[in-house]
Amino acid sequence: MISTGSDPGGDSTERTGLTVARIARLAGVSAPTVSRVINGQAGVALSTRQRVEAVLREHGYRRDNPAPAAIIELVFHALESLWALEIIRGVEQVAREHDLAVVLTEMQGRLTPGKAWTEQVLARRPTGVIAVFSELTGHQQSQLATRGIPLVVLDPTGEPLHLTPSVGATNWSGGMAATRHLLELGHRRIAMLSGPVEWPCCRARLDGYRAAMDAAGVPVDPELVKVSTLYVEGGLRDGAALLGLPDPPTAVFTANDLQAFGVYEAARRAGVRIPEDLSVVGFDDLSFTAWAGPPMTTVRQPLVQMGAAAARMVVALARQELLEQHRVELATTLVVRESTAPPRG
């Protein structure tokens, strides 16, 4: 709570005794500047905003805001596959239960929202924000916190801050299960198409692959591990490179289903049959995998449930309830279909 009034000494108190005038003196700025920071308005230099926010945090300031808008802001770095649609379905299910609408923002491949998005969100003042495969800066997170807007991160692209609630899946065990399945079929030359290893989910899937190979006593050939993009084009390009090796792999595990679909096309162009000549395992279990030719073995990531879990966390935080867990990981499951078989010979 903050007072804008004044007493004989210039500091009228209201519950906490923290006034705009006092904050302005402590931060060395004008009272209108403090008001702009508190209300999330533009026109304040970054260094000045950070100084004011530091004073607010130091004094335990939390604004008595009016009721938030009945919306959940859902931010994606890109809306280019069924992966995003599954998450939206989960968020929307929970939002509907609580009479909330869902507002989508797509950042066209950028990982961090721009200044305009931040100002719009602060002006809308939603019930909460879910950032999917996106990365809000520390300053943006501070701005949301100052306005009392909860933030939950789903599949963070970096290590989430300790106090930032996040939702993910058991990517390491999923990678291990996929690789172990191929090993149990008898494969030894198993390739891995990873996504960007600086992203925790991709690094965990790659680490699960390496752990399964190590546990089986099968050395990993560096030629068979490639860092690719998480799109069909990446799977096509790097899948073709793998199949063009003098000693190509007999199986490929990919970091997502889109990559696996690209490997399917690379195999078709090379005259390589799946699964007779090459076994393929994807990750996500998007709806098209059951209708691929042949139906794809993949690791099911519970995307709808992940979206729902993130939305439930936002609702709980908006009600100022304590979360049982700040980091939630939902289980992955290997789904065996017809794209995997023992190697020939």
Side-chain angles (χ1 to χ4, degrees):
M1 185 79 174
I2 190 163
S3 170
T4 58
S6 60
D7 60 15
D11 275 6
S12 171
T13 61
E14 195 168 324
R15 288 167 60 182
T16 66
L18 194 61
T19 66
V20 167
R22 186 177 177 208
I23 295 169
R25 286 200 300 272
L26 291 171
V29 300
S30 68
T33 296
V34 173
S35 294
R36 282 196 291 272
V37 172
I38 289 172
N39 291 296
Q41 296 171 346
V44 181
L46 176 59
S47 59
T48 302
R49 186 183 295 275
Q50 290 173 334
R51 194 159 67 247
V52 173
E53 288 174 346
V55 172
L56 293 172
R57 286 194 301 272
E58 181 183 349
H59 290 268
Y61 165 76
R62 186 178 182 88
R63 184 180 185 211
D64 265 355
N65 289 303
I71 57 176
I72 294 177
E73 295 270 348
L74 187 52
V75 187
F76 286 90
H77 82 295
L79 290 170
E80 296 181 345
S81 77
L82 294 172
W83 180 88
L85 180 59
E86 294 290 282
I87 291 171
I88 292 169
R89 285 177 54 207
V91 173
E92 201 278 332
Q93 287 174 7
V94 174
R96 194 183 327 121
E97 293 171 6
H98 296 276
D99 296 321
L100 299 171
V102 179
V103 174
L104 296 179
T105 298
E106 193 225 17
M107 296 184 294
Q108 299 178 326
R110 299 190 310 273
L111 294 179
T112 301
K115 179 181 177 182
W117 173 84
T118 308
E119 293 177 351
Q120 290 165 8
V121 169
L122 294 175
R124 280 194 293 268
R125 200 171 171 273
T127 297
V129 174
I130 300 174
V132 184
F133 222 64
S134 305
E135 197 170 286
L136 272 66
T137 66
H139 176 54
Q140 288 172 321
Q141 296 192 38
S142 176
Q143 287 179 286
L144 293 178
T146 299
R147 292 280 283 168
I149 301 172
L151 168 67
V152 175
V153 181
L154 196 155
D155 255 355
T157 57
E159 298 299 337
L161 299 179
H162 180 66
L163 294 179
T164 304
S166 62
V167 177
T170 54
N171 293 293
W172 184 87
S173 60
M176 191 168 191
T179 310
R180 184 180 290 159
H181 168 65
L182 294 170
L183 287 163
E184 290 172 351
L185 287 173
H187 293 278
R188 292 300 178 265
R189 285 192 61 75
I190 302 173
M192 169 71 191
L193 289 189
S194 175
V197 292
E198 63 270 22
W199 296 348
C201 62
C202 295
R203 184 169 65 246
R205 293 169 199 178
L206 177 58
D207 288 346
Y209 157 83
R210 292 187 184 278
M213 296 288 279
D214 183 63
V218 178
V220 174
D221 184 343
E223 279 195 318
L224 299 185
V225 178
K226 292 188 177 294
V227 175
S228 189
T229 61
L230 294 172
Y231 297 99
V232 173
E233 295 81 3
L236 173 58
R237 180 188 63 244
D238 293 309
L242 289 168
L243 295 176
L245 292 172
D247 187 9
T250 62
V252 179
F253 167 46
T254 66
N256 74 355
D257 292 336
L258 295 178
Q259 284 182 337
F261 200 57
V263 172
Y264 268 47
E265 177 59 15
R268 186 192 68 80
R269 295 182 184 185
V272 173
R273 298 170 300 165
I274 299 174
E276 293 85 354
D277 306 318
L278 180 72
S279 288
V280 179
V281 181
F283 202 108
D284 282 336
D285 193 29
L286 299 179
S287 59
F288 71 80
T289 58
W291 301 101
M296 186 186 296
T297 296
T298 186
V299 177
R300 177 176 296 151
Q301 187 173 199
L303 297 169
V304 173
Q305 292 86 347
M306 288 164 65
R312 282 192 292 269
M313 292 169 81
V314 159
V315 170
L317 290 168
R319 293 174 173 174
Q320 299 186 10
E321 298 173 1
L322 291 177
L323 298 179
E324 292 183 8
Q325 294 175 285
H326 266 66
R327 171 64 180 172
V328 174
E329 288 194 349
L330 301 183
T332 53
T333 308
L334 179 69
V335 180
V336 179
R337 297 194 181 102
E338 297 170 30
S339 66
T340 51
R344 287 193 303 166

